[in-house]
């Protein structure tokens, strides 16, 4: 038999493109369309429909960037259509220029204000009832398509620079009859053609499908598709009826619409995206009761509840019916690398409380398909929130290594393990095509022991969700020879079935590091600084408000705390905190952080006033020249003030610099630091060990070319290290009253450093005031230490994670940029150095050669690139201070920044923990004379109190969250210094997990990094 395969395939392609697709709609009729362009920001339906509308015709340009055009569509189907079979629909062509989620979008309302469905590319229709007149409004959003190449600058992401030229040209809006037989034939062809192209040439099934499609082509008349479509379906029926292999891979298809809570659009637009997508989903559910859809992010439900109450009521009905499924249990799909421990816990507290309150559902899984890597602390946090499963997909983006498992146990830093699934379809917005289903089967790593994987299907990122075409594909592949067997179901049902067939799954220990998007630890420094500051202000505000409530009857602002937490948690979304959104998003974030700070400062001031009996405003200790009542929110005693309490104390002072040679020395008897004439740190010695910490000059600023191959704000590519300038030239190095001041200029930027040492402090402080105006550059701050460290420790949520400083394997080499919270530590068994920061997350820590006498060959540039060789190795710690990517915000990081760093020689891990809190939690002082005892005290220095607050249920109970911080076993006593009836261990949602203990001290035995929440019943 001659091989005419390619001829038939080309014939099919042309038939589908030129004849079949155009025959789906058999009849069309005009409607009347009028329009009103809304000025400024979006407005509610009731206001918009009251405006004066004027006629608009196809071809009319519309839509300045981020604007809204309201359309009013009226008409009636022709009377003769009553005798024609088909589904009546309104077709809406807004002038789409690309795919869904990154384009013009619309939301359709009835005249009474109820929501019908969304409009987007590939889903641009509105089902209508036969014979009924049309009276609909469409809220059309002119969202710019900013997808592009992810590197080229665009000014469309800032309302001030986006311009006012129209982006779109209105297409045809009309009534149409959809020929259901032709549409079904279209779906048959799409499914079989997709399957055929994934089957190997030597498999008979491939050729059976080809010949079935050929027979369809023979019986369907291209010039009368409607009249012959039934015959075409009959020709394909045997091929579609052939059942799946008994050993076929089983796919749980879950309707999904990953909607970024902000990204290439502002937060305000996300709320509208949710309404459009959710309306589409509910409409599909009304037509197909078997359809199920999973949706994460309580914040998105809350937006719809507050702005579209009628739609939210319909969603609640579908949730009750088991069709619309809340998943994930978080407030948003957050970044997990950078949020602090308490903030990460509150993602689940806020999300799960919302789902329980609104729907009565306790979600069993964490759902994070698109975050940029996953902290090793997550398994414990997820389990502590009462969940048992975890889903992600993003690691399929790894540049270097492939994850060895699809379904596995993920073990975190404390030993807690989660049953985890990594969908082998390698995407979270599948259309259930033959290619996607084949990829899921091919990539599944547990072949032979497991049989199933999960596929999230539906248009995502910018929303849209599943379509009727995707449901048709699922129905056709439920049991189809050559294809995985597809079943629409829920995530929980998938996880239960997968766990049952894999009683002994493989285990992955430690973080799920994404070998990509490493620049997100650094981009948008102001957003990151706002997050860090907000987290610590919330700690202070809750601590002092709870203390004042117990001690003085102060009114604890529970509702206000919830509002503030929700805003801070929203801004930890995985495209906001990582710095990968348009300018508008980050401008909003900075304004929100400023508002958060003002609100929390008011709460703190009021609580301290109540505790101190003072009506004076609080001020920082550094500004107080006399003995005052000092409040210490840190978990360690400081300067004579107990942890979590207040005492009368003197404000610590900094030692004055002393000239030495051509430089200056700072020496407080605990630490001695020498800064040379270039402003570099050439010596750092702690008195306790007498050991020199520096292997080469530190406090070295280094400027790198930073032009990644793709994804500018997201990526740092390893070759950045090959181009570096050491900024060793100083304009001035001077001694001021309490600091050495170093001034440098480079490119179009300047930096002023204040290097100081407080009396009795074990750490040297460096404050960097940077006026940054570079483009596509990366600014690093380097400290070459005379420490032989094979691994570094970096703080993460409720503990720390170790990472290699070498590149022995491809897994090690891929971690050339890492994330740390408040501190990193490098050390030998009996000596180490800690570097703490106040808002920096990106670091790199590498080995570097040194001579046997401690001298360092070569330059710091060589150390960074690893080109020098010598007999022994030291360790270079570098902090990534600032970047300057051009996309998606061309002004990223431009302007003024103040970033603080401290270096503590002779430090243990415990010292590093303490230094991290000191760097981020300055004491406060107010006039007052009476000490304020802490509500709780712990007798073990390694057991850290992370939060003291009142209970979420407004009972007035005191909740204390603590953890073991050093990675060792710890036995500790928790003493509550206030009357209480009992104490009980709870989960993160403050639900008991143990029996209550009577009033008195609480004895705890903690495993390394264990997280514990205690609730004291007052």
């Amino acid at each position: 038999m001659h091989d005419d395969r390619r001829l038939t395939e080309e014939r099919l392609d042309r038939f589908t493109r030129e004849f079949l697709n155009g025959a789906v709609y058999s009849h069309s009729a005009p409607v009347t369309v009028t329009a009103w362009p809304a000025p400024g920001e979006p407005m509610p339906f009731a206001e918009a429909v009251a405006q004066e509308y004027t006629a608009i015709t196809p071809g009319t340009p519309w839509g300045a960037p981020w604007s809204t055009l309201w359309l009013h569509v009226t008409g009636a189907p022709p009377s003769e259509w009553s005798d024609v079979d088909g589904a009546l629909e309104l077709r809406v062509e807004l002038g789409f220029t690309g795919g869904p989620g990154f384009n013009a979008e619309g939301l359709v309302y009835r005249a009474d204000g109820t929501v019908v469905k969304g409009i987007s590319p590939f889903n641009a229709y509105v089902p209508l009832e036969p014979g009924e007149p049309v009276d609909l409004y469409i809220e059309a959003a002119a969202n710019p398509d900013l997808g592009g190449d992810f590197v080229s600058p665009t000014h469309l992401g800032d309302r001030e620079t986006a311009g006012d030229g129209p982006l779109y040209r209105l297409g045809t809006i009309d009534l149409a009859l959809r020929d259901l037989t032709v549409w079904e034939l279209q779906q048959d062809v799409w499914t079989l053609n997709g399957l055929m192209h994934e089957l190997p040439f030597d498999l008979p099934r491939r050729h059976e499908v080809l010949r079935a499609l050929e027979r369809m082509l023979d019986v369907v008349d291209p010039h009368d598709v409607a009249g012959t479509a039934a015959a075409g379906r009959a020709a394909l029926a045997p091929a579609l009826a052939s059942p799946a292999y008994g050993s076929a891979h089983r796919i749980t298809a879950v309707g999904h619409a990953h909607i970024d809570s902000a990204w290439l659009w502002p937060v305000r637009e996300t709320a509208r995206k949710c309404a459009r997508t959710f309306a589409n989903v509910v409409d599909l559910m009304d037509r197909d009761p078997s359809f199920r859809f999973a949706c994460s992010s309580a914040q998105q439900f809350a937006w719809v509840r507050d702005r579209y109450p009628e739609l939210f009521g319909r969603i609640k009905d579908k949730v009750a019916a088991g069709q619309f499924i809340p998943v994930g249990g978080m407030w948003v799909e957050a970044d997990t690398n950078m949020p602090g421990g308490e903030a990460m816990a509150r993602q689940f507290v806020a999300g799960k409380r919302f789902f329980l309150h609104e729907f009565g559902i306790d979600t069993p899984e964490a759902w994070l398909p698109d975050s940029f890597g996953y902290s090793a602390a997550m398994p414990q946090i997820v389990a502590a929130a009462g969940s048992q499963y975890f889903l992600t997909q993003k690691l399929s983006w790894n540049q270097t290594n492939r994850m060895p498992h699809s379904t596995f146990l993920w073990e975190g830093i404390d030993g807690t393990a989660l049953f985890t699934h990594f969908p082998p379809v390698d995407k979270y917005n599948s259309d259930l095509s033959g290619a996607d289903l084949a990829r899921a089967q091919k990539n599944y790593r547990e072949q032979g022991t497991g049989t199933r994987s999960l596929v999230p299907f539906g248009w995502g990122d910018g929303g849209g969700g599943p379509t009727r075409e995707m449901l048709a594909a699922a129905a056709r592949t439920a049991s189809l020879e050559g294809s995985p067997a597809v079943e629409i179901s829920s995530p929980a049902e998938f996880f239960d079935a997968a766990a049952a067939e894999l009683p002994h799954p493989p285990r992955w220990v430690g973080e799920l590091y994404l070998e990509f998007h490493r620049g997100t630890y650094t981009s948008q420094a102001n957003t990151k600084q706002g997050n860090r500051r907000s987290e610590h202000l919330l700690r202070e505000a809750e601590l002092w408000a709870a203390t004042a409530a117990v001690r003085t009857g102060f009114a604890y602002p529970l509702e206000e705390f919830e509002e503030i937490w929700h805003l801070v948690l929203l801004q930890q979304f995985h495209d906001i905190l990582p710095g990968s959104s348009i300018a508008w998003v980050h401008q909003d974030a900075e304004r929100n952080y400023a508002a958060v700070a003002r609100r929390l400062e008011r709460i703190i001031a009021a609580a301290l006033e109540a505790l101190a009996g003072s009506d004076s405003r609080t001020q920082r200790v550094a500004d107080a020249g006399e003995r005052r009542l000092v409040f210490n929110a840190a978990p360690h005693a400081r300067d004579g003030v107990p942890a979590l309490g207040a005492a009368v104390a003197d404000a610590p002072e900094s030692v004055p610099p002393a000239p030495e040679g051509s430089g200056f020395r700072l020496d407080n008897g605990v630490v001695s630091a020498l800064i040379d004439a270039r402003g570099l740190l050439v010596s750092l010695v702690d008195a306790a060990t007498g050991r020199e910490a520096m292997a080469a000059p530190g406090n070295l600023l280094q400027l790198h070319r930073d032009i990644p191959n793709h994804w500018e704000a997201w990526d740092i590519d390893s070759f950045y290290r090959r181009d570096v300038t050491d900024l060793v030239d100083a304009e001035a190095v001077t001694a001021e009253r309490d600091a050495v001041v170093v001034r440098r200029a480079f490119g179009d930027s300047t930096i002023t450093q204040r290097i100081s040492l407080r009396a009795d402090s074990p750490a040297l402080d460096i404050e960097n005031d940077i006026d940054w105006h570079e483009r596509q550059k990366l600014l690093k701050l380097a400290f070459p230490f005379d420490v032989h460290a094979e691994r570094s420790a970096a703080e993460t949520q409720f503990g720390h994670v170790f990472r290699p400083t070498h590149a022995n394997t491809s897994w090690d080499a891929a971690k050339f940029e890492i994330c740390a919270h408040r501190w990193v530590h490098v050390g030998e068994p009996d000596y180490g150095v800690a570097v703490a920061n106040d808002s920096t997350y990106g670091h790199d820590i590498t080995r570097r050669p040194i001579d046997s006498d401690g001298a360092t060959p070569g330059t710091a540039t060589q150390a960074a690139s690893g080109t020098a060789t010598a007999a022994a190795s030291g360790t270079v710690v570098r902090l990534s201070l600032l970047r300057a990517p051009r996309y998606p915000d061309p002004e990223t990081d431009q302007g003024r920044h103040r970033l603080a760093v401290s270096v503590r020689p002779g430090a243990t891990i415990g010292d590093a923990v303490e230094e991290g809190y000191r760097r981020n939690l300055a004491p406060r002082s107010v006039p007052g004379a009476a000490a304020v005892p802490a509500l709780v005290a712990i007798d073990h220095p390694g057991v850290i109190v992370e939060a003291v607050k009142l209970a979420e249920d407004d009972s007035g109970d005191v909740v204390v969250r603590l953890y073991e911080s050093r990675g060792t076993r710890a036995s500790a006593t928790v003493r509550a210094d206030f009357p209480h009836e009992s104490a009980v261990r709870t989960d993160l949602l403050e639900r008991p997990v143990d029996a209550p203990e009577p009033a008195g001290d609480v004895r705890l035995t903690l495993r390394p990094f264990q997280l514990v929440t205690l609730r004291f019943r007052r």
Side-chain angles (χ1 to χ4, degrees):
M1 181 177 180
H2 297 294
D3 182 8
D4 62 350
R5 173 183 53 82
R6 190 63 202 146
L7 184 68
T8 303
E9 290 176 0
E10 291 176 351
R11 178 188 177 194
L12 176 65
D13 290 344
R14 182 176 184 189
F15 167 76
T16 302
R17 182 178 63 251
E18 296 186 18
F19 300 100
L20 177 59
N21 293 343
V24 168
Y25 287 97
S26 59
H27 296 74
S28 64
V31 290
T32 299
V33 184
T34 56
W36 174 71
E41 286 296 280
M43 62 178 57
F45 172 85
E47 294 181 33
V49 299
Q51 308 303 317
E52 183 176 347
Y53 286 65
T54 58
I56 190 171
T57 57
T60 301
W62 72 277
W66 308 113
S67 68
T68 301
L69 178 71
W70 282 85
L71 301 170
H72 187 198
V73 182
T74 56
S79 58
E80 58 267 25
W81 284 14
S82 58
D83 297 327
V84 180
D85 290 335
L88 178 63
E89 296 177 355
L90 178 72
R91 294 189 296 189
V92 181
E93 170 55 69
L94 295 176
F96 305 120
T97 59
F102 301 88
N103 217 272
E105 302 174 58
L107 182 61
V108 182
Y109 295 83
R110 300 180 185 89
D112 62 3
T114 57
V115 170
V116 182
K117 71 180 292 290
I119 295 293
S120 61
F122 314 147
N123 198 349
Y125 69 92
V126 183
L128 300 173
E129 294 300 321
E132 291 189 5
V134 177
D135 188 2
L136 299 171
Y137 289 86
I138 303 172
E139 181 190 25
N143 297 332
D145 183 354
L146 297 178
D149 57 10
F150 299 100
V151 296
S152 299
T154 174
H155 294 286
L156 289 170
D158 185 340
R159 192 69 183 266
E160 297 300 318
T161 61
D164 56 8
L167 296 175
Y168 300 104
R169 191 175 294 274
L170 189 68
T172 299
I173 300 177
D174 62 3
L175 295 174
L177 278 176
R178 179 165 59 100
D179 188 312
L180 297 182
T181 303
V182 174
W183 183 84
E184 295 286 359
L185 175 63
Q186 183 188 45
Q187 308 316 306
D188 294 344
V189 171
W190 189 81
T191 298
L192 287 173
N193 190 33
L195 170 65
M196 178 183 68
H197 281 287
E198 297 305 318
L199 296 175
F201 293 120
D202 60 354
L203 191 69
R205 173 64 168 164
R206 189 186 205 283
H207 303 281
E208 291 173 3
V209 172
L210 177 68
R211 297 311 164 194
L213 289 166
E214 185 177 49
R215 288 191 293 274
M216 180 275 302
L217 291 168
D218 290 341
V219 300
V220 176
D221 183 351
H223 299 292
D224 184 18
V225 174
T228 55
R233 294 204 72 203
L236 295 177
L240 286 165
S242 184
Y245 309 131
S247 60
H249 184 66
R250 289 181 282 178
I251 284 177
T252 298
V254 177
H256 188 238
H258 174 71
I259 304 176
D260 286 311
S261 290
W263 181 28
L264 303 180
W265 48 85
V267 167
R268 68 87 153 145
E269 191 58 30
T270 311
R272 300 205 294 178
K273 285 177 175 288
C274 291
R276 299 170 197 134
T277 300
F278 295 176
N280 285 341
V281 167
V282 171
D283 179 72
L284 282 176
M285 289 174 177
D286 287 341
R287 301 168 194 283
D288 185 351
S290 68
F291 171 48
R292 290 198 258 183
F293 174 82
C295 181
S296 70
S297 301
Q299 172 69 87
Q300 296 183 358
F301 283 93
W303 281 328
V304 174
R305 178 198 62 190
D306 297 341
R307 305 181 192 193
Y308 306 90
E310 179 270 336
L311 175 59
F312 187 72
R314 293 160 62 198
I315 291 171
K316 291 190 76 168
D317 291 341
K318 298 302 183 185
V319 171
Q323 287 185 272
F324 205 118
I325 305 165
V327 294
M330 299 175 71
W331 189 249
V332 295
E333 288 186 12
D335 177 80
T336 75
N337 288 310
M338 290 173 283
E342 186 61 20
M344 200 76 256
R346 296 299 181 93
Q347 285 286 351
F348 289 92
V349 171
K352 287 203 147 202
R353 281 176 56 83
F354 182 92
F355 290 147
L356 284 164
H357 179 265
E358 295 292 343
F359 307 122
I361 288 177
D362 190 355
T363 54
E365 71 290 292
W367 183 278
L368 284 168
D370 190 35
S371 290
F372 308 145
Y374 305 92
S375 158
M378 285 298 289
Q380 176 176 212
I381 295 171
V382 173
S387 296
Q388 63 196 103
Y389 301 130
F390 184 82
L391 180 139
T392 179
Q393 174 275 325
K394 196 67 173 185
L395 297 185
S396 67
W397 288 43
N398 273 4
Q399 285 180 317
T400 308
N401 299 286
R402 180 181 177 187
M403 282 293 292
H405 312 301
S406 297
T407 306
F408 56 98
L409 288 179
W410 177 25
E411 180 181 313
I413 56 174
D414 77 317
T416 298
L418 287 178
F419 189 82
T420 297
H421 184 61
F422 175 30
V425 70
D426 283 356
K427 62 197 310 186
Y428 47 78
N429 50 9
S430 171
D431 60 358
L432 297 182
S433 65
D436 283 358
L437 299 182
R439 185 187 310 111
Q441 177 175 279
K442 178 181 179 181
N443 289 345
Y444 183 64
R445 305 307 295 272
E446 272 61 65
Q447 300 281 12
T449 56
T451 65
R452 64 185 71 233
S453 67
L454 185 147
V455 173
F457 72 93
W459 300 116
D461 288 325
T467 65
R468 61 190 179 193
E469 288 78 15
M470 296 175 193
L471 297 185
R476 284 160 174 76
T477 53
S479 180
L480 180 63
E481 183 184 354
S483 169
V486 176
E487 177 187 16
I488 293 179
S489 189
S490 71
E493 289 168 338
F494 163 77
F495 275 112
D496 289 345
E501 74 173 12
L502 284 172
H504 305 291
R507 184 176 293 255
W508 179 272
V509 178
E511 68 181 324
L512 294 172
Y513 177 93
L514 178 63
E515 297 172 356
F516 205 44
H517 290 359
R518 303 165 183 92
T520 58
Y521 311 148
T522 304
S523 297
Q524 296 287 359
N526 287 337
T527 297
K528 291 170 169 59
Q529 192 166 55
N531 174 73
R532 180 77 68 84
R533 186 71 188 119
S534 296
E535 290 178 348
H536 289 83
L537 283 171
L538 277 161
R539 173 195 173 93
E540 289 187 86
E542 289 186 332
L543 167 65
W544 300 132
T547 304
V550 173
R551 301 280 185 230
T552 72
F554 178 79
Y556 188 82
L558 183 65
E559 290 185 5
E560 186 169 13
F561 277 142
E562 182 176 73
E563 291 175 7
I564 294 171
W565 267 116
H566 285 176
L567 183 54
V568 172
L569 297 176
L570 165 62
Q571 296 187 159
Q572 292 177 341
F573 177 73
H574 67 251
D575 275 308
I576 302 179
L577 182 53
S580 49
S581 289
I582 57 173
W584 189 341
V585 173
H586 293 288
Q587 292 163 3
D588 281 350
E590 290 176 37
R591 285 190 289 269
N592 288 337
Y593 285 132
V596 164
R598 288 192 295 270
R599 296 177 72 178
L600 291 174
E601 290 286 2
R602 285 196 296 268
I603 294 171
I604 292 167
L608 296 190
E609 175 184 319
L611 288 166
S614 166
D615 60 1
S616 299
R617 295 180 64 186
T618 64
Q619 62 182 13
R620 294 291 181 183
V621 173
D623 298 329
E626 71 280 357
R627 294 173 63 84
R628 300 168 67 83
L629 187 60
V630 177
F631 285 81
N632 175 23
H636 307 92
R638 183 185 300 171
D639 300 322
V641 182
L644 314 177
V648 175
D650 292 319
E653 297 181 354
S654 295
V655 299
E660 183 167 322
S662 58
F664 300 94
R665 184 173 293 279
L666 294 167
D667 193 334
N668 62 0
V670 180
V671 170
S672 179
L674 180 62
I675 295 95
D676 70 8
R678 300 170 296 172
L680 301 180
L681 177 63
V682 295
S683 177
L684 184 64
V685 178
D686 66 291
T689 69
R691 176 169 166 173
E692 175 61 65
M694 307 307 299
N699 188 39
L700 174 65
L701 290 159
Q702 296 180 297
L703 193 65
H704 291 268
R705 181 193 300 154
D706 182 19
I707 307 177
N709 289 342
H710 310 285
W711 300 88
E712 278 226 348
W714 293 258
D715 288 350
I716 292 176
D717 287 337
S718 59
F719 52 76
Y720 84 89
R721 293 181 175 178
R722 300 174 194 163
D723 184 279
V724 56
T725 300
D726 292 349
L727 303 178
V728 295
D729 295 328
E731 291 188 338
V733 179
T734 59
E736 297 189 357
R737 180 178 59 85
D738 59 354
V740 176
V741 179
V742 182
R743 295 178 175 86
R744 304 185 194 277
F746 54 95
D748 295 321
S749 306
T750 61
I751 181 168
T752 299
Q753 293 183 305
R754 292 183 58 85
I755 307 172
S756 61
L757 184 63
R758 294 180 305 113
D760 300 325
S761 172
L764 183 72
D765 293 329
I766 304 171
E767 296 182 0
N768 302 282
D769 188 337
I770 309 170
D771 192 12
W772 177 250
H773 296 284
E774 305 309 299
R775 302 288 178 176
Q776 294 181 309
K777 301 291 185 182
L778 167 63
L779 184 64
K780 290 265 189 178
L781 180 60
F783 295 94
F785 295 125
D786 189 7
V787 173
H788 180 70
E790 293 187 3
R791 63 182 186 174
S792 65
E795 187 187 31
T796 189
Q797 297 93 354
F798 304 118
H800 55 268
V801 61
F802 290 109
R803 300 183 180 98
T805 60
H806 55 73
N808 283 0
T809 70
S810 59
W811 296 89
D812 302 332
K815 296 181 180 180
F816 58 81
E817 184 81 1
I818 60 174
C819 182
H821 287 193
R822 291 168 291 203
W823 58 266
V824 295
H825 179 273
V826 292
E828 299 165 3
D830 59 350
Y831 181 85
V833 184
V835 180
N837 69 83
D838 73 342
S839 57
T840 296
Y841 295 92
H843 296 72
D844 74 282
I845 303 177
T846 55
R847 310 292 286 278
R848 67 158 298 158
I850 59 172
D851 285 335
S852 58
D853 61 359
T856 309
T859 65
T861 302
Q862 288 176 314
S865 63
T867 57
T869 59
S873 294
T875 307
V876 180
V877 173
R878 298 201 304 166
L879 298 88
S880 300
L881 300 183
L882 295 170
R883 298 187 68 215
R886 302 178 305 165
Y887 179 91
D889 176 7
E891 299 300 313
T892 298
D893 284 345
Q894 300 298 300
R896 194 79 172 271
H897 301 274
R898 291 180 175 85
L899 306 171
V901 175
S902 61
V903 185
R904 184 165 174 168
T908 64
I909 291 285
D911 295 332
V913 174
E914 181 178 353
E915 190 60 31
Y917 280 101
R918 184 190 72 81
R919 181 72 273 173
N920 287 270
L921 277 171
R924 295 173 181 266
S925 69
V926 299
V932 179
L935 288 183
V936 294
I938 298 179
D939 64 358
H940 193 295
V943 178
I944 299 298
V945 174
E946 184 68 5
V948 178
K949 57 186 285 293
L950 296 192
E952 296 287 327
D953 62 6
D954 205 17
S955 63
D957 291 352
V958 175
V959 174
V960 178
R961 191 134 39 238
L962 51 88
Y963 69 101
E964 195 289 315
S965 67
R966 300 181 180 181
T968 64
R969 297 273 173 173
S971 295
T973 300
V974 182
R975 178 164 292 125
D977 187 20
F978 57 89
H980 60 281
E981 295 178 359
S982 62
V984 62
R985 287 198 196 196
T986 72
D987 65 7
L988 293 180
L989 276 68
E990 299 163 14
R991 302 173 296 196
V993 295
D994 284 335
E997 298 182 13
D1001 295 347
V1002 178
R1003 291 289 301 164
L1004 297 174
T1005 299
L1006 288 84
R1007 65 180 181 270
F1009 303 126
Q1010 185 176 355
L1011 171 64
V1012 172
T1013 303
L1014 296 174
R1015 178 171 180 154
F1016 294 89
R1017 174 85 53 192
R1018 291 171 61 203

